[in-house]
C-alpha cells in the first residue's frame, strides 16, 4: 500500500504504510499529533497526542498524561480519505512524516490536501 496526497493539482505518492500527521493548535499554539496506518480498508488512526490542554483541546475520554502529552486511541473506523483544509491560523500548516520523509501541506490559507490509500501509485 502507498499513500496518495492530492494537493496543488498534483498527486504525490509516498511508499508508506504508516505516517504521522502533526500541526499546531490555532489558539493555544501547542502541538497535536496523530499516527495513521494505510490499509486496504482505508486510513486508520492508531494514536493521537495533544501537548497540554486548553481551548478546544480538552483531553479525550480515556486519555493518559505521558511526558506532558495527553495520549489516546480515537475510537473511529477506517476513513476512505482525509481532507485537510488550511485555515492559515496554525502558523505552518500540516506536517506529514512517513519514516524520515516529511512534507508540509496547507501552509497557505485556503489550500486543501486530500490523503487516501492508493494502489500501485494510482489514486483511487
Amino acid at each position: 500500500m502507498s499513500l496518495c496526497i492530492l494537493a496543488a493539482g498534483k498527486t504525490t505518492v509516498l511508499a508508506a504504510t504508516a505516517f504521522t500527521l502533526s500541526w499546531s493548535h490555532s489558539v493555544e499554539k501547542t502541538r497535536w499529533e496523530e499516527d495513521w496506518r494505510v490499509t486496504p480498508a482505508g486510513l486508520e488512526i492508531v494514536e493521537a497526542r495533544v501537548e497540554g490542554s486548553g481551548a478546544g483541546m480538552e483531553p479525550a475520554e480515556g486519555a493518559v498524561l505521558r511526558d506532558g502529552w495527553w495520549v489516546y486511541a480515537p475510537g473511529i473506523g477506517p476513513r476512505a480519505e482525509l481532507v485537510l483544509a488550511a485555515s492559515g491560523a496554525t502558523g505552518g500548516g500540516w506536517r506529514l512524516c512517513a519514516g524520515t520523509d516529511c512534507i508540509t501541506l496547507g501552509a497557505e490559507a485556503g489550500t486543501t490536501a486530500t490523503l487516501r490509500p492508493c494502489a500501485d501509485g494510482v489514486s483511487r
Side-chain angles (χ1 to χ4, degrees):
M1 297 284 328
S2 297
L3 177 66
C4 282
I5 304 165
L6 294 79
K10 67 177 186 173
T11 301
T12 301
V13 178
L14 289 179
T17 57
F19 64 94
T20 298
L21 191 60
S22 60
W23 64 96
S24 293
H25 187 273
S26 60
V27 175
E28 298 293 334
K29 306 297 184 207
T30 56
R31 191 130 165 113
W32 195 298
E33 297 180 349
E34 296 176 342
D35 294 332
W36 291 83
R37 284 190 306 228
V38 182
T39 73
L43 301 177
E44 296 179 354
I45 190 166
V46 177
E47 181 179 271
R49 296 173 293 284
V50 181
E51 189 176 33
S53 61
M57 298 175 32
E58 292 74 24
E61 186 175 331
V64 175
L65 186 60
R66 188 179 309 143
D67 298 324
W69 291 78
W70 287 102
V71 180
Y72 62 100
I76 60 173
R79 302 290 185 234
E81 64 182 23
L82 294 176
V83 178
L84 308 176
S87 68
T90 60
W94 307 81
R95 187 83 171 148
L96 186 149
C97 295
T100 58
D101 296 328
C102 296
I103 58 173
T104 299
L105 302 167
E108 295 182 30
T111 61
T112 60
T114 302
L115 312 178
R116 63 175 61 139
C118 53
D120 300 324
V122 179
S123 176
R124 290 200 255 173

